[in-house]
Amino acid sequence: MKRAAWSRVWLVALAGYAVQNALFPSVAMATHEADHRFTVEGYVCGADGKGIADIEVLVKDTKISYGQVVKTNGDGYYKAAFHLHNDNLGDPLLVEAKGERQNHKIQFDPKDLEAERKLKVNFGTGCDTSAPPAWLWWGVGAVAAAAGGVVAMKIVRSQRKHERANGKSQGKRKT
């Protein structure tokens, strides 16, 4: 393959990767409808207020003895999705990380079938939860790089076309 062809293949692959990451982040979502999904999410932070990676977080509905263990990402963020019904309203919920336990109750409006049913539970002090997730920054950067590549390719093509046109017209000039 020619260099230009490889450049296009690489550009398309990069753009595809960016779209995949933007549309399907690595944090798994439950596939059921919002009125059957309950999400527990939050951050696990150290004494310095920064998120801690690879910490196991236990999230468990203790009434029905269902739970799951998830790990925090590089920013200390975790997310666990459950398939629950209106009958689970008020169930005790245990969330545990780094040996610290927090007890909550599953709360949502059973009449609202559209809104996301979720609970935020943070561990540690000073967790900065206002910053967008890292996957968003990577996705935006990849899309910007892909767009820059497309613009650069168009500029190079335009310059080559212009050079060819100038070269042909100079050959036809009378001196």
Side-chain angles (χ1 to χ4, degrees):
M1 275 181 134
K2 293 182 180 181
R3 180 193 270 182
W6 274 112
S7 296
R8 278 185 248 130
V9 168
W10 178 249
L11 184 64
V12 169
L14 184 61
Y17 179 74
V19 169
Q20 175 191 359
N21 282 339
L23 296 177
F24 308 105
S26 60
V27 175
M29 284 295 297
T31 57
H32 31 272
E33 297 295 324
D35 64 326
H36 290 270
R37 179 175 53 237
F38 188 79
T39 305
V40 179
E41 64 182 354
Y43 289 86
V44 177
C45 300
D48 59 358
K50 295 186 183 205
I52 305 172
D54 296 323
I55 297 292
E56 289 187 346
V57 180
L58 168 69
V59 183
K60 183 176 182 180
D61 180 337
T62 58
K63 183 176 179 184
I64 60 173
S65 295
Y66 174 78
Q68 55 183 290
V69 175
V70 294
K71 281 194 168 193
T72 58
N73 68 8
D75 297 326
Y77 176 77
Y78 73 93
K79 188 174 203 175
F82 291 86
H83 181 99
L84 298 178
H85 298 272
N86 288 346
D87 298 346
N88 299 108
L89 182 64
D91 281 3
L93 186 71
L94 170 67
V95 186
E96 183 176 316
K98 294 188 337 178
E100 182 183 338
R101 303 178 104 185
Q102 292 189 31
N103 293 301
H104 295 272
K105 292 215 180 273
I106 295 175
Q107 297 294 325
F108 55 84
D109 180 3
K111 294 177 186 172
D112 186 353
L113 304 179
E114 301 292 322
E116 186 74 27
R117 297 173 171 186
K118 64 178 160 180
L119 175 67
K120 291 190 179 208
V121 180
N122 292 331
F123 291 89
T125 56
C127 292
D128 181 18
T129 60
S130 62
W135 65 263
L136 181 62
W137 291 114
W138 283 103
V140 168
V143 169
V150 169
V151 169
M153 196 166 33
K154 290 194 179 267
I155 290 171
V156 168
R157 283 185 180 168
S158 175
Q159 287 175 343
R160 287 182 182 163
K161 186 176 180 182
H162 184 68
E163 287 172 0
R164 282 189 223 124
N166 282 345
K168 288 181 184 177
S169 66
Q170 288 177 357
K172 294 180 182 180
R173 285 188 187 171
K174 293 181 182 179
T175 53

